[in-house]
Amino acid sequence: MMTLKMINKSILTLMMFLLAANLKSQSKVDVEFNPNIATYSIVEYLVAKHQGRLFYIDGTTDISYLPLADLANREMAKYDNSKIIKAMQDYLQVAGQQQDLTYQVLLKHNIFPAKGYAYQIEENNNAKKEAVEKFAEKLREFYIERNLGKFFKDQSHFLEGAKNEVRKNIPAGYMAKMEQYYGEKFLAYRFWINPLDIMPNIPVFWHGNGPMIKSDKGQIANMISSPYLPLEKKNNIRDYKEFGFNHPETLNFLITHEFGHSFVNQHLGPYEDRINKSSNLMSEALVDKMAMHGYSYWPSCVAEHIVRTGEIRIAMADGNQKLAENLRKQHMNDYSFVLIPEFEKKMEVYENNRKKYQSFKEFVPELLNVLDETSVEKVRTKLGLSNVKYEVTLTVNVPENSGDVYITGNQSSIGNWNPNVIKLNKTGETTRQITFKTYPDLKFKLTKGNWETEGKIDGIEEGKDVSLSLDKNTSLNYTVKNWKQ
């Protein structure tokens, strides 16, 4: 999650970009509201309230500064929501702690209450695809059971007001430079307001996501956006004259960044397996820095690096070196996207060989060589982290008949968070042991081979990692009280 200082720097920097670009294209941006996404956001907050937090959402605070979300929350409080809460928790166990797949699928789904999909779901992982389709159906049923169609219709005054705030602040023709740089254009650009997205109560806040949809006629770039401004509470939802989206600088920043993902992410998807081969750069180096800003999935982190590199290179192509340097410092120093220099060098190859690489898509295989050419040690040095490694001998006491026991964590030596790769040695019926090398910042969990059988460790809050900061070789001893299954 960005701090206010970081947000303001981002706004000022990218506002300079929009003013400097001198764009002439008039690509139309359609501004709409999607009930599927809004239904999902309502459920997100129900889950956050139930477990205290979900993603960036604090489920323990008052949300009256987000009047539509607050109204929906008060309506949902009339019901037993345990069924949909569990459905989402079960889904996230399969899909992981990320929203990208959910947003993509809900945009492709026919508008609730209709069944089926208007566009094909693109997900190579069959388990995730099955899970998200099942969850989407649960959301559709929830939409019907809670009569959310009527609820949204009754709030048309607020929704139209929010859409109009966005429409009046979109700069004309801002997409032209991006289309030129990435070498492609899209059939349409769609901006989806989501006033039910729960963001923190600070002077300016935002959350966005940019799924891409492929249709028979061409590709549709999408942007889903939270409101940006907290609103003063009024007695009635119809009393509002402002709707949380009337902040041109934030809107401009978010549009530039999120539509940038439309040009980038679709071309990284086919290389996800290749990208994940370098996931140790995340687990052993970048993970803590990225988690501060809401990025815990390595392919998403790579996409963020490349999108931000594109912002810099487009500024350079426009002759605005000062802006490029400001973006460079911001993304590297404030957000720790420390591989940007390496990606920039590769993108210069793309820029200087446009006859060979007529589009970004054609250049992606070469660009991803950055991941193969770097190392954990180089990344840790960039982040100011120690490259010293210590030897750890871990002894674990386990219940009888535990069978095979595995360790997994933020080090290559213990499986990089794969729950069934590194097996502990059986030293007795109820004892297991392993010796491994680790960087000082060690995090791990114990399983019986999958996340459904994660160990509940004595002295560690359930679901939390064992988290240590080491300064020497050491021996550790832990006791597993029981397994999830």
Side-chain angles (χ1 to χ4, degrees):
M1 185 64 60
M2 294 183 176
T3 65
L4 180 57
K5 180 180 178 183
M6 291 178 181
I7 290 171
N8 287 337
K9 287 181 69 175
S10 299
I11 289 168
L12 290 173
T13 303
L14 279 167
M15 188 61 176
M16 289 170 60
F17 165 74
L18 290 164
L19 293 173
N22 191 27
L23 306 180
K24 297 179 180 179
S25 168
Q26 295 296 320
S27 299
K28 182 182 177 183
V29 179
D30 298 315
V31 182
E32 298 296 341
F33 168 76
N34 187 290
N36 303 1
I37 298 295
T39 301
Y40 169 69
S41 291
I42 290 172
V43 173
E44 271 192 333
Y45 189 60
L46 292 175
V47 174
K49 284 204 306 178
H50 176 75
Q51 60 191 35
R53 190 172 190 87
L54 177 67
F55 308 132
Y56 48 83
I57 303 169
D58 185 345
T60 65
T61 60
D62 173 66
I63 59 169
S64 59
Y65 58 93
L66 296 167
L68 199 55
D70 187 44
L71 179 61
N73 176 56
R74 285 186 275 118
E75 287 293 315
M76 296 308 104
K78 300 174 183 178
Y79 303 95
D80 175 6
N81 297 301
S82 57
K83 182 180 175 182
I84 192 65
I85 289 171
K86 187 176 188 306
M88 183 166 181
Q89 290 174 324
D90 291 346
Y91 162 62
L92 292 177
Q93 285 290 321
V94 179
Q97 296 297 307
Q98 51 102 359
Q99 300 164 300
D100 293 357
L101 177 61
T102 315
Y103 284 136
Q104 176 216 137
V105 168
L106 291 177
L107 280 185
K108 291 180 175 180
H109 197 287
N110 290 320
I111 296 298
F112 294 163
K115 288 187 174 184
Y117 292 85
Y119 305 98
Q120 183 177 352
I121 297 174
E122 297 177 47
E123 174 53 56
N124 296 326
N125 184 306
N126 289 333
K128 288 184 179 181
K129 185 173 184 290
E130 181 180 341
V132 74
E133 288 177 332
K134 180 179 178 180
F135 179 55
E137 177 58 20
K138 295 291 185 182
L139 286 174
R140 191 189 71 84
E141 293 171 357
F142 179 79
Y143 171 95
I144 296 170
E145 291 167 1
R146 298 294 182 267
N147 203 10
L148 288 178
K150 182 179 185 304
F151 175 81
F152 296 139
K153 184 177 181 180
D154 289 345
Q155 316 316 320
S156 58
H157 161 74
F158 195 98
L159 295 173
E160 287 302 317
K163 287 190 281 186
N164 288 332
E165 284 185 342
V166 171
R167 288 178 182 130
K168 74 178 183 180
N169 288 319
I170 293 178
Y174 72 93
M175 297 305 303
K177 283 288 182 181
M178 298 180 80
E179 291 175 340
Q180 180 181 356
Y181 186 80
Y182 289 107
E184 65 179 318
K185 296 183 179 181
F186 300 121
L187 177 66
Y189 298 93
R190 292 177 179 167
F191 186 113
W192 303 96
I193 61 161
N194 186 18
L196 292 107
D197 199 357
I198 309 298
M199 300 301 292
N201 189 3
I202 57 177
V204 179
F205 52 72
W206 59 265
H207 171 246
N209 195 281
M212 176 65 71
I213 289 178
K214 295 180 180 179
S215 74
D216 294 337
K217 297 181 179 179
Q219 298 186 99
I220 302 168
N222 295 274
M223 174 181 160
I224 303 165
S225 174
S226 73
Y228 317 131
L229 300 169
L231 299 176
E232 184 178 344
K233 185 175 181 179
K234 298 185 183 298
N235 292 329
N236 190 291
I237 196 72
R238 294 184 178 276
D239 294 336
Y240 285 89
K241 305 298 181 185
E242 295 183 350
F243 308 95
F245 290 84
N246 191 22
H247 199 271
E249 294 85 356
T250 301
L251 177 65
N252 294 344
F253 165 70
L254 196 53
I255 285 176
T256 303
H257 183 77
E258 294 303 336
F259 276 133
H261 280 288
S262 296
F263 290 97
V264 170
N265 289 27
Q266 60 169 330
H267 302 310
L268 297 182
Y271 300 95
E272 185 169 345
D273 289 343
R274 178 180 172 184
I275 292 170
N276 276 323
K277 288 180 180 178
S278 61
S279 62
N280 61 320
L281 299 178
M282 182 73 160
S283 61
E284 294 186 291
L286 282 160
V287 61
D288 288 338
K289 296 290 186 180
M290 291 295 103
M292 291 171 59
H293 308 304
Y295 306 113
S296 58
Y297 184 53
W298 178 231
S300 296
C301 181
V302 172
E304 288 292 332
H305 268 89
I306 294 172
V307 167
R308 292 163 195 256
T309 300
E311 294 169 4
I312 296 167
R313 299 311 304 172
I314 292 170
M316 289 290 290
D318 197 51
N320 196 330
Q321 294 189 11
K322 182 178 180 180
L323 171 59
E325 187 58 32
N326 287 340
L327 283 166
R328 199 174 284 120
K329 289 179 179 178
Q330 170 197 314
H331 292 324
M332 293 177 61
N333 298 342
D334 293 345
Y335 306 145
S336 300
F337 288 99
V338 295
L339 293 178
I340 281 178
E342 287 78 3
F343 280 115
E344 271 207 79
K345 288 180 182 178
K346 287 292 185 184
M347 291 303 285
E348 288 177 10
V349 175
Y350 168 67
E351 294 161 12
N352 293 328
N353 293 274
R354 290 302 295 271
K355 288 186 177 180
K356 180 178 180 181
Y357 305 108
Q358 295 185 17
S359 69
F360 172 79
K361 176 182 179 181
E362 298 173 10
F363 187 69
V364 167
E366 176 65 25
L367 181 62
L368 292 179
N369 285 336
V370 166
L371 305 178
D372 304 326
E373 295 165 0
T374 192
S375 67
V376 170
E377 288 75 18
K378 288 179 182 178
V379 176
R380 289 181 66 90
T381 298
K382 286 171 174 281
L383 293 169
L385 300 174
S386 171
N387 279 310
V388 174
K389 285 192 173 184
Y390 299 110
E391 184 174 273
V392 171
T393 297
L394 171 67
T395 301
V396 181
N397 303 303
V398 299
E400 292 184 356
N401 302 315
S402 286
D404 292 338
V405 175
Y406 295 80
I407 184 172
T408 187
N410 66 334
Q411 311 288 323
S412 297
S413 58
I414 53 174
N416 276 332
W417 295 115
N418 292 305
N420 59 352
V421 174
I422 306 298
K423 184 166 65 174
L424 277 66
N425 299 310
K426 184 175 181 179
T427 56
E429 176 58 31
T430 59
T431 57
R432 306 290 187 272
Q433 192 174 80
I434 189 172
T435 297
F436 58 91
K437 291 286 187 72
T438 174
Y439 292 109
D441 41 310
L442 170 64
K443 295 182 180 181
F444 68 87
K445 289 185 175 183
L446 299 167
T447 78
K448 290 180 65 180
N450 55 62
W451 290 116
E452 287 70 35
T453 57
E454 183 181 329
K456 299 177 183 179
I457 300 175
D458 191 26
I460 304 297
E461 183 180 346
E462 186 173 344
K464 298 293 186 181
D465 307 329
V466 176
S467 184
L468 302 169
S469 181
L470 305 178
D471 58 6
K472 60 182 179 181
N473 297 337
T474 190
S475 295
L476 303 172
N477 194 304
Y478 287 93
T479 297
V480 174
K481 295 184 292 184
N482 52 65
W483 308 98
K484 281 187 177 180
Q485 289 184 359

